[in-house]
Amino acid sequence: MKKYILFALLLIGNSTSSFSQRGGFRGQERRPMREKVDAMKIGYLTNFLDLTTDEAKSFWPVYNKYQDELEQLRKSRRNNLINGKLSLDSMSDSDLEKMVDGELAFHQNEIDVQKKYHPQFKKVLPMKKVAKLYRAEEEFKKQLLQMIRDKRKDERSEMKQ
């Protein structure tokens, strides 16, 4: 069953990446990439956690709500950072204080969301898999960043040739 899920996710990822490579519309270029990353993450978490079919049925709705809440926080943060995209050197102490306070509030809100969902994860997964979930998220981030670095490195080397 897991092999079929992973195959379907890879198929989705490949179809969205081909659209992105053709250029897409400027506002839509990120969507296929986002979908590809999300599909990769689903496959990675499913594999890393070794979810049974029953666990997956109860886990993914909770995890998706968790991710939605975190994404709303991050979207708000991005908007605030874009609106305040000035050089730190040119900002007043008052503006700097607001920015730093906003960053601290963001991190606290992120922790609050994690605390809110932790008991829900424990209801749908054994504790060992909950612990593995947090590790898997960190490992996925590391692997994704490495993939991005490798891709940029490859693109730079292709440009030199």
Side-chain angles (χ1 to χ4, degrees):
M1 177 72 174
K2 288 180 193 170
K3 290 178 184 176
Y4 295 114
I5 292 171
L6 290 174
F7 176 76
L9 294 174
L10 290 173
L11 185 63
I12 291 168
N14 287 336
S15 65
T16 59
S17 68
S18 66
F19 176 77
S20 179
Q21 290 171 356
R22 286 181 296 195
F25 296 103
R26 185 151 174 71
Q28 293 177 338
E29 289 176 12
R30 290 180 188 247
R31 182 166 291 151
M33 184 56 71
R34 179 62 149 164
E35 290 172 0
K36 184 176 181 179
V37 170
D38 288 346
M40 288 169 50
K41 187 174 187 179
I42 290 168
Y44 186 85
L45 292 178
T46 300
N47 188 44
F48 195 96
L49 298 177
D50 195 26
L51 295 175
T52 66
T53 304
D54 289 339
E55 288 171 340
K57 284 179 187 176
S58 55
F59 169 73
W60 287 113
V62 174
Y63 188 79
N64 290 335
K65 285 188 215 173
Y66 167 70
Q67 286 298 298
D68 289 345
E69 281 194 45
L70 289 176
E71 183 54 35
Q72 287 303 315
L73 285 175
R74 292 174 183 140
K75 184 177 181 180
S76 175
R77 178 184 186 215
R78 278 191 304 271
N79 290 338
N80 291 338
L81 290 175
I82 289 170
N83 292 337
K85 198 174 184 178
L86 299 172
S87 169
L88 294 178
D89 294 331
S90 66
M91 294 175 75
S92 70
D93 284 349
S94 173
D95 289 339
L96 287 167
E97 184 176 7
K98 286 180 192 175
M99 184 185 77
V100 171
D101 289 348
E103 280 296 295
L104 292 173
F106 163 75
H107 290 295
Q108 183 60 56
N109 290 336
E110 197 173 40
I111 290 169
D112 291 344
V113 170
Q114 291 168 342
K115 284 182 173 181
K116 173 183 172 183
Y117 280 90
H118 180 69
Q120 294 180 45
F121 291 141
K122 291 192 305 187
K123 286 181 184 175
V124 297
L125 293 176
M127 193 61 222
K128 183 179 270 186
K129 290 187 179 185
V130 173
K132 287 175 78 172
L133 168 64
Y134 300 130
R135 178 168 291 163
E137 287 183 313
E138 291 302 314
E139 292 297 320
F140 179 78
K141 285 180 201 174
K142 288 178 188 175
Q143 286 187 11
L144 186 59
L145 288 172
Q146 188 60 49
M147 287 172 55
I148 292 168
R149 284 187 204 109
D150 291 345
K151 184 175 181 177
R152 287 183 180 161
K153 183 179 175 184
D154 291 344
E155 288 171 355
R156 282 192 294 258
S157 67
E158 285 177 11
M159 290 174 65
K160 289 180 182 178
Q161 295 177 357

